[in-house]
Amino acid sequence: MKRTPKFDKAWSESIAMLPEELQQPLVNAIKEYQTTGAEPTDLNPIAQCVFNLLKPVIDRRAKAASYQRRRREAKAVVQCAPVTIESGHRVKQDRKYIRLLAKRYNLIHRDIKAEIDRMSVLLTANGIDRIPVYIYKEYLEHHLDGNPLEFIGKPI
């Protein structure tokens, strides 16, 4: 159920209207149900009635919390590096970077994009099927310099 129990002010005010001998067992039953999901078995019929009225709210909140938790956990999963061809495509779409390379290496955009395609084929042929974009850019610059790097012991 829910990791941190929530106890509404309206619930406290309503429970305060009950006789004192029913209040604490009902509060304990609500908190127990929120944390473990175990329904009370030995409550007074009046306290059980109040519990039954609150149970759908508790269940709805627990369900919403579990959905949120799953969404957060799914988002937190570390993203895998993109496929090498996709990394090359992303680099080709980075206009500022292409302009920087054009100025630095005195090449036209068409030649830079052709080198990116060659680099993608070269990396894939050497068994590098996934590579982060920043490493791809590093390899591309060394390739344009004429100084290929080694990647995990493999010369490229």
Side-chain angles (χ1 to χ4, degrees):
M1 297 293 290
K2 194 160 168 58
R3 291 182 181 173
T4 55
K6 182 176 181 182
F7 208 85
D8 289 353
K9 184 178 178 183
W11 294 0
S12 298
E13 291 170 355
S14 299
I15 292 171
M17 293 179 201
L18 292 173
E20 291 207 17
E21 63 272 3
L22 301 179
Q23 290 178 12
Q24 195 57 46
L26 178 58
V27 169
N28 292 340
I30 291 169
K31 288 181 179 178
E32 179 71 21
Y33 184 69
Q34 285 181 326
T35 55
T36 65
E39 292 192 34
T41 55
D42 57 346
L43 280 180
N44 181 299
I46 296 171
Q48 184 68 43
C49 179
V50 173
F51 176 82
N52 289 343
L53 291 172
L54 297 177
K55 185 178 175 227
V57 174
I58 296 168
D59 291 341
R60 186 182 70 242
R61 287 179 181 169
K63 188 175 181 181
S66 76
Y67 285 148
Q68 285 178 337
R69 196 169 27 260
R70 277 191 263 153
R71 279 195 305 268
R72 278 193 307 269
E73 289 168 358
K75 246 185 191 178
V77 172
V78 176
Q79 296 295 325
C80 188
V83 177
T84 301
I85 301 294
E86 185 182 322
S87 291
H89 182 70
R90 288 182 183 176
V91 171
K92 283 168 64 172
Q93 299 302 315
D94 188 349
R95 291 181 180 185
K96 283 184 177 180
Y97 184 69
I98 295 292
R99 273 182 267 177
L100 177 98
L101 291 178
K103 286 180 185 176
R104 185 181 297 163
Y105 297 103
N106 198 22
L107 295 171
I108 59 174
H109 292 213
R110 179 185 65 209
D111 293 340
I112 294 171
K113 290 183 178 185
E115 288 301 319
I116 290 170
D117 291 336
R118 281 192 207 105
M119 182 59 110
S120 295
V121 170
L122 185 64
L123 288 169
T124 305
N126 282 310
I128 301 170
D129 59 341
R130 291 191 170 277
I131 188 168
V133 174
Y134 71 93
I135 294 177
Y136 189 98
K137 287 179 178 180
E138 184 179 324
Y139 280 125
L140 178 63
E141 289 180 32
H142 283 340
H143 177 73
L144 292 173
D145 280 338
N147 303 325
L149 286 177
E150 288 189 16
F151 185 72
I152 312 176
K154 297 180 183 179
I156 296 185

